[in-house]
């Protein structure tokens, strides 16, 4: 039986896939980093990760050889373009960073009935958090209901049943422990909440108005 | 095709594909791509079901365990995703663009004849000519890996003689919005 299996495998074998190695900065195959918008960072990364490939792509000879049939003029144009793209991407990243720094997350404890609370979380999307996934995470963690709903202003927010405001604050803190604004560091399981600046998270309380309807 | 494509807004929904339809897709792919049944089985095992991720403009992306494998526009040919083609580069016939054309391709441009007929480019010889409407992989001058996928707008012999205008329409390339989707 075993022999037959081995035999058929030799007879009809699938072609194994090429093992690809991609740049973890720009996601391209490293030979195409020069066409992306983060060449300096890509080079830095490749030099530490794969010195052999770095040598292959960026040594003096490699740079000369790669000119191929392109003219010196066209090559200069390409390099100029790459530098421009890089500067543009950096300016964009800078603007995104500033925007993040200015964004607020508000965790609100809302009293619905006497001793009945819901918790709303607003503003996580500014930090690149997937609201649906975050709502699911909260619901699972607290074994309660969690959903994404549009508030009166038409802005998506997460609503979780129960008073879990402090717990959610702690989860966000935990996800970003030792992490910078780049979203690195922090713990697994709460990855979804990575990238949020904990200093920008506030807990507020909304008391039920006494004269509102029951 | 994947310029300004955002999964959050451009995906209409995901539907499992009926097994009879899957059989049809499988046999179409086996005849369209240069691939044997064993290798296809490796990529997409018969016992596993793919999901049709329906997107805007009649675009369907077929994914296995969330990983996009191939896609189709209207009822056109099935194109492998570039990441799949990187693993199995032989499934589409190749053409090569010269170094000068690379940055245009990566900016979303279609490929013009001279970029393929110049010294740095390459087209198959007359006895292996490709007709109009053939899905092709773009090699690039001086590079090892495929940089994009296109569909021929002229036969490859015509490209050589006409030598102007669009030769291959760009479908997807390294760094476009489909490339950015690693999981759906
Ligand atoms: Zn890179």
């Amino acid at each position: 039986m075993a022999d037959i299996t081995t035999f058929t495998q030799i007879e009809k074998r699938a072609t194994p896939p090429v093992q690809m190695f991609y740049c973890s900065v720009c996601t391209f195959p490293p030979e195409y980093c020069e066409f992306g918008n983060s060449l300096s960072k890509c080079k830095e990364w490749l030099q530490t990760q794969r010195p052999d490939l770095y040598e292959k792509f960026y040594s003096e000879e490699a740079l000369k050889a790669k000119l191929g049939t392109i003219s010196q003029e066209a090559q200069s144009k390409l390099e100029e373009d790459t530098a421009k793209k890089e500067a543009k991407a950096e300016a964009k990243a800078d603007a995104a960073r500033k925007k993040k720094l200015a964004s607020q997350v508000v965790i609100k404890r809302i009293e619905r009935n006497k001793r009945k609370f819901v918790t709303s979380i607003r503003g996580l999307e500014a930090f690149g958090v997937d609201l649906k996934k975050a709502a699911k995470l909260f619901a699972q963690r607290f074994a309660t209901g969690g959903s994404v709903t549009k508030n009166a202003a038409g802005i998506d927010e997460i609503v979780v049943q129960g008073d879990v405001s402090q717990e959610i604050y702690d989860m966000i803190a935990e996800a970003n422990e030792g992490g910078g604004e780049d979203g690195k560091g922090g713990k697994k399981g709460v990855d979804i909440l990575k990238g949020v600046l904990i200093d920008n998270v506030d807990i507020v309380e909304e008391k039920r108005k006494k004269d509102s309807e029951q | 095709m994947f310029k300004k494509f955002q999964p959050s807004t451009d995906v209409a929904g995901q539907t499992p594909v009926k097994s009879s339809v899957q059989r049809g897709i499988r046999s179409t792919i086996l005849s369209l791509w240069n691939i044997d049944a064993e290798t296809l089985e490796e990529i997409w095992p018969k016992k596993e079901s793919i999901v049709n991720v329906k997107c805007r403009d009649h675009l369907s992306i077929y994914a296995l365990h969330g990983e996009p494998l191939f896609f189709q526009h209207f009822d056109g040919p099935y194109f492998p995703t570039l990441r799949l083609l990187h693993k199995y580069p032989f499934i589409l016939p190749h053409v090569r663009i010269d170094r000068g054309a690379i940055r245009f391709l990566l900016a979303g441009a279609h490929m013009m004849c001279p970029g393929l007929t110049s010294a740095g480019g390459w087209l198959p010889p007359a006895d292996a000519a490709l007709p109009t409407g053939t899905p092709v992989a773009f090699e690039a001058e001086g590079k090892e890996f495929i940089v994009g996928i296109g569909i021929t707008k002229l036969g490859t012999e015509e490209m050589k003689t006409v030598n102007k205008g669009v030769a291959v329409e760009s479908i997807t390339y390294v760094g476009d919005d489909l490339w950015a989707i690693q999981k759906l």
Side-chain angles (χ1 to χ4, degrees), chain B residues 23-43:
Chain B
R23 273 199 298 278
I25 296 176
R26 204 181 281 277
S27 70
T28 305
I29 283 179
L30 280 172
S31 63
L32 182 72
W33 297 357
N34 178 29
I35 193 169
D36 53 84
E38 288 71 34
T39 306
L40 183 59
E41 175 68 21
E42 198 68 16
I43 297 170

Short mmCIF file of all heavy atoms in Angstrom, two decimals, chain B residues 23-43:
data_model
loop_
_atom_site.label_atom_id
_atom_site.label_comp_id
_atom_site.label_asym_id
_atom_site.label_seq_id
_atom_site.Cartn_x
_atom_site.Cartn_y
_atom_site.Cartn_z
N ARG B 23 -16.17 23.10 -10.12
CA ARG B 23 -15.63 22.13 -11.09
C ARG B 23 -15.41 22.79 -12.43
O ARG B 23 -14.40 22.58 -13.10
CB ARG B 23 -16.58 20.93 -11.23
CG ARG B 23 -16.31 19.85 -10.20
CD ARG B 23 -16.93 18.52 -10.66
NE ARG B 23 -18.38 18.60 -10.79
CZ ARG B 23 -19.24 18.49 -9.78
NH1 ARG B 23 -18.78 18.29 -8.55
NH2 ARG B 23 -20.54 18.58 -9.97
N GLY B 24 -16.38 23.64 -12.82
CA GLY B 24 -16.28 24.35 -14.09
C GLY B 24 -15.07 25.29 -14.12
O GLY B 24 -14.31 25.30 -15.08
N ILE B 25 -14.90 26.04 -13.03
CA ILE B 25 -13.78 26.98 -12.95
C ILE B 25 -12.46 26.21 -13.04
O ILE B 25 -11.54 26.58 -13.76
CB ILE B 25 -13.83 27.77 -11.62
CG1 ILE B 25 -15.08 28.66 -11.56
CG2 ILE B 25 -12.57 28.62 -11.46
CD1 ILE B 25 -15.25 29.40 -10.25
N ARG B 26 -12.41 25.08 -12.31
CA ARG B 26 -11.20 24.28 -12.29
C ARG B 26 -10.81 23.80 -13.70
O ARG B 26 -9.66 23.91 -14.10
CB ARG B 26 -11.43 23.07 -11.38
CG ARG B 26 -10.20 22.46 -10.79
CD ARG B 26 -10.60 21.27 -9.94
NE ARG B 26 -11.10 21.68 -8.64
CZ ARG B 26 -10.31 21.97 -7.62
NH1 ARG B 26 -9.01 21.87 -7.74
NH2 ARG B 26 -10.82 22.34 -6.47
N SER B 27 -11.80 23.34 -14.45
CA SER B 27 -11.45 22.83 -15.78
C SER B 27 -11.11 23.99 -16.72
O SER B 27 -10.24 23.85 -17.58
CB SER B 27 -12.56 21.93 -16.33
OG SER B 27 -13.68 22.69 -16.65
N THR B 28 -11.78 25.14 -16.55
CA THR B 28 -11.44 26.31 -17.37
C THR B 28 -9.98 26.71 -17.11
O THR B 28 -9.22 26.97 -18.05
CB THR B 28 -12.35 27.51 -17.03
OG1 THR B 28 -13.71 27.11 -17.16
CG2 THR B 28 -12.07 28.69 -17.94
N ILE B 29 -9.61 26.76 -15.83
CA ILE B 29 -8.25 27.14 -15.48
C ILE B 29 -7.23 26.16 -16.04
O ILE B 29 -6.20 26.54 -16.58
CB ILE B 29 -8.12 27.27 -13.94
CG1 ILE B 29 -8.76 28.59 -13.49
CG2 ILE B 29 -6.66 27.20 -13.49
CD1 ILE B 29 -8.73 28.85 -12.01
N LEU B 30 -7.57 24.87 -15.96
CA LEU B 30 -6.64 23.85 -16.47
C LEU B 30 -6.40 24.01 -17.98
O LEU B 30 -5.31 23.73 -18.47
CB LEU B 30 -7.15 22.44 -16.17
CG LEU B 30 -6.90 21.96 -14.74
CD1 LEU B 30 -7.62 20.64 -14.48
CD2 LEU B 30 -5.40 21.81 -14.47
N SER B 31 -7.42 24.49 -18.69
CA SER B 31 -7.21 24.65 -20.13
C SER B 31 -6.62 26.02 -20.47
O SER B 31 -5.92 26.18 -21.45
CB SER B 31 -8.53 24.43 -20.89
OG SER B 31 -9.47 25.40 -20.51
N LEU B 32 -6.88 27.02 -19.62
CA LEU B 32 -6.41 28.38 -19.89
C LEU B 32 -4.98 28.61 -19.44
O LEU B 32 -4.19 29.24 -20.14
CB LEU B 32 -7.35 29.37 -19.19
CG LEU B 32 -7.07 30.86 -19.37
CD1 LEU B 32 -7.44 31.30 -20.78
CD2 LEU B 32 -7.85 31.68 -18.34
N TRP B 33 -4.63 28.10 -18.26
CA TRP B 33 -3.29 28.31 -17.73
C TRP B 33 -2.39 27.15 -18.11
O TRP B 33 -2.84 26.05 -18.39
CB TRP B 33 -3.30 28.39 -16.19
CG TRP B 33 -4.06 29.54 -15.60
CD1 TRP B 33 -4.69 30.54 -16.28
CD2 TRP B 33 -4.27 29.78 -14.21
NE1 TRP B 33 -5.27 31.41 -15.38
CE2 TRP B 33 -5.04 30.97 -14.11
CE3 TRP B 33 -3.89 29.13 -13.03
CZ2 TRP B 33 -5.43 31.51 -12.88
CZ3 TRP B 33 -4.28 29.66 -11.81
CH2 TRP B 33 -5.03 30.85 -11.74
N ASN B 34 -1.11 27.41 -18.10
CA ASN B 34 -0.15 26.34 -18.32
C ASN B 34 0.13 25.67 -16.97
O ASN B 34 1.09 26.00 -16.29
CB ASN B 34 1.13 26.91 -18.93
CG ASN B 34 2.17 25.85 -19.13
OD1 ASN B 34 1.83 24.67 -19.32
ND2 ASN B 34 3.43 26.22 -19.04
N ILE B 35 -0.78 24.78 -16.58
CA ILE B 35 -0.64 24.17 -15.27
C ILE B 35 -1.18 22.74 -15.32
O ILE B 35 -2.13 22.47 -16.06
CB ILE B 35 -1.39 25.01 -14.21
CG1 ILE B 35 -1.01 24.59 -12.79
CG2 ILE B 35 -2.91 24.94 -14.39
CD1 ILE B 35 -1.50 25.55 -11.72
N ASP B 36 -0.54 21.85 -14.57
CA ASP B 36 -1.04 20.47 -14.54
C ASP B 36 -1.98 20.31 -13.34
O ASP B 36 -1.96 21.12 -12.41
CB ASP B 36 0.14 19.49 -14.44
CG ASP B 36 1.05 19.82 -13.29
OD1 ASP B 36 0.76 19.40 -12.16
OD2 ASP B 36 2.04 20.55 -13.52
N ALA B 37 -2.79 19.27 -13.39
CA ALA B 37 -3.81 19.06 -12.37
C ALA B 37 -3.20 18.92 -10.97
O ALA B 37 -3.78 19.37 -9.98
CB ALA B 37 -4.65 17.83 -12.71
N GLU B 38 -2.00 18.32 -10.90
CA GLU B 38 -1.37 18.08 -9.60
C GLU B 38 -0.97 19.40 -8.94
O GLU B 38 -1.15 19.59 -7.74
CB GLU B 38 -0.13 17.18 -9.74
CG GLU B 38 -0.45 15.73 -10.06
CD GLU B 38 -0.98 15.54 -11.48
OE1 GLU B 38 -0.55 16.28 -12.38
OE2 GLU B 38 -1.86 14.67 -11.66
N THR B 39 -0.42 20.30 -9.76
CA THR B 39 -0.01 21.58 -9.20
C THR B 39 -1.22 22.41 -8.81
O THR B 39 -1.24 23.05 -7.76
CB THR B 39 0.89 22.34 -10.20
OG1 THR B 39 1.97 21.48 -10.58
CG2 THR B 39 1.46 23.60 -9.59
N LEU B 40 -2.26 22.35 -9.63
CA LEU B 40 -3.48 23.09 -9.29
C LEU B 40 -4.07 22.54 -7.98
O LEU B 40 -4.54 23.29 -7.13
CB LEU B 40 -4.51 23.01 -10.42
CG LEU B 40 -5.80 23.81 -10.19
CD1 LEU B 40 -5.52 25.29 -9.99
CD2 LEU B 40 -6.79 23.63 -11.34
N GLU B 41 -3.98 21.22 -7.84
CA GLU B 41 -4.47 20.56 -6.62
C GLU B 41 -3.72 21.08 -5.40
O GLU B 41 -4.27 21.22 -4.32
CB GLU B 41 -4.31 19.04 -6.78
CG GLU B 41 -4.66 18.20 -5.55
CD GLU B 41 -6.14 18.20 -5.21
OE1 GLU B 41 -6.97 18.50 -6.09
OE2 GLU B 41 -6.47 17.92 -4.04
N GLU B 42 -2.44 21.36 -5.60
CA GLU B 42 -1.58 21.87 -4.53
C GLU B 42 -2.04 23.29 -4.13
O GLU B 42 -2.09 23.65 -2.96
CB GLU B 42 -0.13 21.91 -5.05
CG GLU B 42 0.93 21.99 -4.01
CD GLU B 42 1.02 20.72 -3.17
OE1 GLU B 42 0.50 19.64 -3.54
OE2 GLU B 42 1.64 20.84 -2.12
N ILE B 43 -2.35 24.09 -5.14
CA ILE B 43 -2.77 25.47 -4.92
C ILE B 43 -4.18 25.52 -4.35
O ILE B 43 -4.47 26.25 -3.41
CB ILE B 43 -2.76 26.25 -6.27
CG1 ILE B 43 -1.33 26.32 -6.84
CG2 ILE B 43 -3.35 27.63 -6.12
CD1 ILE B 43 -1.27 26.84 -8.27
#
